[in-house]
Amino acid sequence: MEEMEEELKCPVCGSFYREPIILPCSHNLCQACARNILVQTPDSESPQSRRASGSAVSDYDYLDLDKMSLYSEADSGYGSYGGFASAPTTPCQKSPNGVRVFPPAAPPPPAALAPPPPPRNACLTCPQCHRSLVLDERGLRGFPRNRLLEGVIDRYQQGRAAALRCQLCEKAPKEAAVMCEQCDVFYCDPCRLRCHPPRGPLAKHRLVPPAQGRVSRRLSPRKISTCTDHELENHSMYCVQCKSPVCYQCLEEGKHSSHEVKALGAMWKLHKSQLSQALNGLSDRAKEAKEFLVQLRNMVQQIQENSVEFEACLVAQCDALIDALNRRKAQLLSRVNKEHEHKLKVVRDQISHCTVKLRQTTGLMEYCLEVIKENDPSGFLQISDALIRRVHMTEDQWGKGTLTPRMTTDFDLNLDNAPLLQSIHQLDFVQMKVSSPVPAPPILQLEECCTHNNSATLSWKQPPLSTVQVEGYILELDDGNGGQFREVYVGKETMCTVDGLHFNSTYSARVKAFNKSGVSPYSKTLVLQTSEGCNFDTQGSPYSQLVDIKKMVAVAWFSFDPSSAHADIIFSNDNLTVTCNSYDDRVVLGKTGFSKGLHYWELSIDRYDNHPDPAFGVARIDVLKDAMLGKDDKAWAITEGGITKGATVGVLLDLTRRTLTFSINEDQQGPVAFENLEGLFFPAVSLNRNVQVTLHTGLPVPEFYASRSAMP
């Protein structure tokens, strides 16, 4: 039960609680300690005086102060200390437990004198959670006394069978000499003469030896908690909304008259059951934590044994080498020792952290079990909610990966002594555990590799005699200009189609296989030439054959793209013919985009009614789809009002010269329509319901442009 002792000590004085009171934040304080840390605020700084004096503080500040009132019906009675407008700037100190406390503005009154009532404006800050609250005219008497905690402390002290100490000594309590049965206080001789003189009314009190007083205290009936608002009334019901015991008078005329209440005994049993259930889960976590600590301690021994074994192996390997290896041997041993220390440090830190948490958990469990043994329903219900929350929070803290080792016991390193003596200075550790050999490089199936427009399909397979397991493949392509490779596919399939390539460009492609052990080794150089025009030039690499893909065709085949077109566009003829069901202009793009090369396509006018003025040209992918082509800066187009049914419009995009040229019925319309074109362009048409056009692709360059291109 030693772990529970921290739960029984005041955070201010560091001693066992004496006359503990329960704060609204569910923490406890000795009544004397609470009196010592009271902060008195001048009347001029009270909310009422500040409102009357017209201070610059807004009404919201007064609302915040009202919310911190202990006797507010709708609030818990506490707020953040930093937000309290009238809190003094007195420097804080630390209690024996290391908790920050705020000292009073003046020293406390002598113990022999009755403490004066607190001033009208006084606040108390919890030393554990640092929440502040404002006291009313009753002062500390407004807080309920935690008699249940007193009973737990009495049993704990009796179980320790230690010498009884004086309860009034401020520093290092001396051994008690007597106990007053009426005051129920243990005194040493100096404190008895100072605080309990044998004269006046105190002369009639009976003083007994401490041992006899302990027995009489144990046999005395437990005091029944009384209502803090009505001191003559005992608690008889439990307010569900305020989560506190109340008396009969509170229900009749107090602030609980409209609240939901339940029987005190029933709620006592219910909360005891809830706390017991919460303790069951926490007990399982504590058991797992103990087993985890055993595992961690075993890991320390295993790490030490593995370290010794590894060092011996390393020394044996290094001693077998020539004198040139000795200097390197010392460096490798240093690395092993660092790894050893690092593993031990991680595990020991985890042991220390887990031990502290387990001690706190065990202390909380023992304290909760002692609380459950109490037979005071009202006292139990005053702290049961807080204890249940703490138990759940502690259990949640154990469930966030804290019971998983942060370090393995194995040294995943191995010394490779195969290199020749001339490579001695490159000697280093390699990975020790290899589950299986690395796979062989894949073989590209050239007969299944093909190209179409601006896409390429590659196929590969593993060597027939390879028995090494392969987990996947990585396909890489360069940028078409001999630049760096980039991954375009990672997966288990052995065929991949890559879209969006440049026309009339040469790409280098390579494939490698991988598993848990690594990637493919270097392959032999192989050069292949296919009949379809794909040039395969293989080079030594950790991949398969390095394949250069040269486009076979100089023309593109494509159709209109329904996925990017306006919803009013109507498609037919395998997406080669389009019209529209709207009188407004709608845009449709081709499926293929161009960024390099020379490309030509034609559009035939199948239907042309009432001079609809369609537009033909190229556009970006994000062009407006509900306006005539060319109305924004994302399209370049021609609009000819003289077009009739049966006419053919040609569009020639030369991205080498970065120009766009148009023709009608094979007659060029002007020299060049647009210049300085750069980027990715898609064939585009805008039309309405009075027009129907059909797309023709895969056409050679017209003679008028071919002859001009041939000119120097």
Side-chain angles (χ1 to χ4, degrees):
M1 297 178 63
E2 294 181 357
E3 291 85 355
M4 186 178 63
E5 186 169 323
E6 296 180 3
E7 299 281 343
L8 308 180
K9 289 186 177 181
C10 175
V12 177
C13 63
S15 303
F16 289 106
Y17 286 103
R18 296 190 295 270
E19 299 181 0
I21 58 176
I22 306 175
L23 301 181
C25 56
S26 300
H27 293 131
N28 299 284
L29 280 180
C30 298
Q31 189 168 12
C33 296
R35 187 180 303 112
N36 289 338
I37 65 174
L38 269 179
V39 177
Q40 302 178 5
T41 59
D43 290 339
S44 59
E45 295 186 8
S46 66
Q48 292 82 359
S49 60
R50 298 176 71 175
R51 186 182 293 109
S53 60
S55 174
V57 181
S58 68
D59 291 339
Y60 295 102
D61 296 326
Y62 305 134
L63 293 176
D64 292 339
L65 290 175
D66 292 338
K67 290 179 181 178
M68 288 189 292
S69 172
L70 174 61
Y71 297 99
S72 171
E73 294 187 12
D75 198 78
S76 59
Y78 52 87
S80 173
Y81 182 83
F84 184 57
S86 61
T89 58
T90 308
C92 64
Q93 298 176 350
K94 284 190 176 180
S95 71
N97 285 352
V99 180
R100 295 172 57 189
V101 298
F102 294 87
L113 300 178
R120 182 163 176 261
N121 296 315
C123 70
L124 178 66
T125 301
C126 176
Q128 290 184 289
C129 62
H130 302 296
R131 292 181 174 177
S132 300
L133 55 96
V134 179
L135 278 66
D136 67 353
E137 64 277 0
R138 294 181 302 173
L140 297 178
R141 290 184 294 105
F143 298 114
R145 185 168 173 178
N146 196 341
R147 300 188 184 277
L148 191 143
L149 177 58
E150 290 180 307
V152 175
I153 293 174
D154 288 343
R155 285 201 306 271
Y156 179 76
Q157 291 178 331
Q158 294 167 11
R160 292 172 55 187
L164 294 173
R165 299 291 178 178
C166 176
Q167 293 179 275
L168 295 182
C169 291
E170 296 183 357
K171 296 181 179 179
K174 300 178 182 179
E175 186 174 351
V178 295
M179 173 194 172
C180 178
E181 289 187 340
Q182 285 71 29
C183 298
D184 195 18
V185 176
F186 290 93
Y187 299 95
C188 63
D189 288 333
C191 291
R192 178 180 59 82
L193 296 176
R194 185 177 70 253
C195 303
H196 200 286
R199 59 179 179 272
L202 299 178
K204 298 180 180 181
H205 289 195
R206 182 187 177 191
L207 302 179
V208 296
Q212 182 180 348
R214 170 187 285 177
V215 175
S216 62
R217 172 182 287 185
R218 186 186 309 174
L219 298 178
S220 62
R222 184 59 51 85
K223 297 180 180 179
I224 301 176
S225 299
T226 59
C227 180
T228 55
D229 294 332
H230 312 93
E231 297 180 355
L232 300 179
E233 296 288 341
N234 295 331
H235 290 146
S236 58
M237 300 295 288
Y238 179 78
C239 179
V240 178
Q241 181 174 344
C242 299
K243 296 183 179 181
S244 63
V246 295
C247 68
Y248 176 78
Q249 196 169 351
C250 290
L251 301 179
E252 292 295 331
E253 57 186 27
K255 61 181 181 180
H256 305 279
S257 59
S258 60
H259 295 175
E260 179 185 0
V261 295
K262 292 186 178 181
L264 193 65
M267 295 302 296
W268 174 39
K269 293 180 180 179
L270 175 62
H271 282 228
K272 271 197 173 184
S273 175
Q274 292 176 354
L275 181 57
S276 299
Q277 292 176 1
L279 283 177
N280 289 335
L282 186 59
S283 176
D284 294 338
R285 293 295 182 181
K287 182 179 179 181
E288 294 176 4
K290 291 179 181 179
E291 297 174 354
F292 181 63
L293 283 175
V294 174
Q295 179 184 356
L296 292 178
R297 293 189 179 97
N298 292 336
M299 289 179 62
V300 172
Q301 181 65 25
Q302 291 178 358
I303 289 175
Q304 292 175 343
E305 294 175 358
N306 292 344
S307 175
V308 173
E309 180 182 355
F310 190 82
E311 289 180 8
C313 179
L314 180 62
V315 171
Q317 290 177 338
C318 291
D319 289 343
L321 300 177
I322 61 176
D323 294 340
L325 293 176
N326 290 334
R327 293 186 298 270
R328 190 63 176 171
K329 178 182 67 176
Q331 297 176 2
L332 297 176
L333 281 173
S334 175
R335 288 186 55 184
V336 173
N337 290 331
K338 288 181 180 179
E339 181 71 12
H340 172 212
E341 295 299 329
H342 172 67
K343 287 179 178 288
L344 290 180
K345 182 179 182 301
V346 172
V347 176
R348 285 170 177 166
D349 290 346
Q350 193 172 9
I351 289 175
S352 176
H353 177 70
C354 189
T355 301
V356 173
K357 290 187 65 176
L358 180 60
R359 181 182 178 185
Q360 295 173 351
T361 300
T362 305
L364 178 59
M365 290 173 55
E366 292 178 354
Y367 172 62
C368 292
L369 291 175
E370 292 300 325
V371 169
I372 292 176
K373 295 178 183 179
E374 288 296 317
N375 296 322
D376 182 1
S378 60
F380 179 84
L381 293 175
Q382 287 175 340
I383 65 173
S384 58
D385 284 320
L387 286 179
I388 292 172
R389 288 195 301 270
R390 288 185 59 190
V391 168
H392 284 303
M393 290 175 59
T394 305
E395 182 181 0
D396 293 341
Q397 291 175 357
W398 282 110
K400 297 178 180 178
T402 55
L403 300 183
T404 303
R406 301 175 184 171
M407 183 60 64
T408 62
T409 60
D410 298 329
F411 286 77
D412 297 334
L413 300 171
N414 186 26
L415 187 64
D416 183 11
N417 56 359
L420 300 175
L421 291 179
Q422 58 266 31
S423 302
I424 190 67
H425 295 293
Q426 299 178 355
L427 188 64
D428 202 348
F429 289 108
V430 296
Q431 188 174 359
M432 183 179 65
K433 291 187 176 181
V434 179
S435 57
S436 61
V438 295
I443 298 177
L444 283 162
Q445 302 184 79
L446 305 181
E447 65 278 5
E448 297 185 11
C449 297
C450 61
T451 61
H452 177 71
N453 281 344
N454 60 338
S455 65
T457 300
L458 296 177
S459 178
W460 57 89
K461 65 179 181 180
Q462 282 298 108
L465 300 180
S466 177
T467 59
V468 179
Q469 183 179 3
V470 176
E471 294 187 0
Y473 302 92
I474 300 176
L475 174 63
E476 296 183 353
L477 262 70
D478 66 356
D479 59 358
N481 293 318
Q484 294 184 350
F485 283 86
R486 59 184 177 88
E487 292 184 359
V488 296
Y489 171 77
V490 177
K492 297 182 179 181
E493 300 296 332
T494 58
M495 179 177 290
C496 178
T497 299
V498 183
D499 298 320
L501 303 178
H502 297 303
F503 283 88
N504 301 321
S505 300
T506 299
Y507 287 85
S508 295
R510 60 189 185 184
V511 184
K512 62 180 178 180
F514 65 88
N515 59 14
K516 293 181 179 179
S517 302
V519 297
S520 308
Y522 286 88
S523 64
K524 296 181 180 180
T525 302
L526 179 64
V527 178
L528 295 176
Q529 179 71 42
T530 66
S531 60
E532 294 182 352
C534 292
N535 184 24
F536 297 90
D537 182 13
T538 61
Q539 305 172 5
S541 68
Y543 300 83
S544 64
Q545 307 96 279
L546 186 64
V547 182
D548 288 342
I549 306 173
K550 183 172 293 184
K551 302 306 294 183
M552 178 184 65
V553 295
V555 295
W557 300 83
F558 58 91
S559 60
F560 288 115
D561 185 13
S563 62
S564 63
H566 194 277
D568 294 338
I569 298 295
I570 301 174
F571 295 86
S572 60
N573 190 23
D574 293 332
N575 297 333
L576 293 176
T577 301
V578 292
T579 184
C580 182
N581 59 12
S582 173
Y583 286 104
D584 297 325
D585 292 311
R586 299 293 186 252
V587 174
V588 58
L589 302 180
K591 279 190 174 182
T592 302
F594 305 105
S595 59
K596 293 178 61 177
L598 179 63
H599 308 280
Y600 177 74
W601 62 93
E602 292 180 348
L603 298 114
S604 59
I605 311 300
D606 301 332
R607 180 166 51 83
Y608 190 86
D609 302 330
N610 301 325
H611 305 288
D613 292 336
F616 310 91
V618 296
R620 305 287 191 192
I621 188 64
D622 55 346
V623 66
L624 293 176
K625 304 298 194 305
D626 55 357
M628 179 180 287
L629 201 65
K631 292 296 184 180
D632 59 0
D633 59 350
K634 303 294 180 63
W636 296 259
I638 180 176
T639 301
E640 287 292 337
I643 295 178
T644 61
K645 179 180 178 180
T648 300
V649 178
V651 182
L652 196 150
L653 178 63
D654 188 351
L655 292 174
T656 302
R657 299 182 179 180
R658 301 192 299 172
T659 61
L660 181 64
T661 307
F662 297 96
S663 64
I664 298 179
N665 297 328
E666 299 183 357
D667 292 333
Q668 182 176 357
Q669 302 297 303
V672 174
F674 298 99
E675 296 179 333
N676 299 323
L677 300 179
E678 187 173 0
L680 181 64
F681 300 92
F682 291 82
V685 176
S686 68
L687 71 169
N688 57 26
R689 65 182 304 166
N690 294 323
V691 181
Q692 177 176 306
V693 300
T694 298
L695 176 65
H696 305 276
T697 62
L699 303 176
V701 178
E703 294 183 359
F704 70 84
Y705 198 83
S707 59
R708 190 178 69 179
S709 301
M711 297 176 61

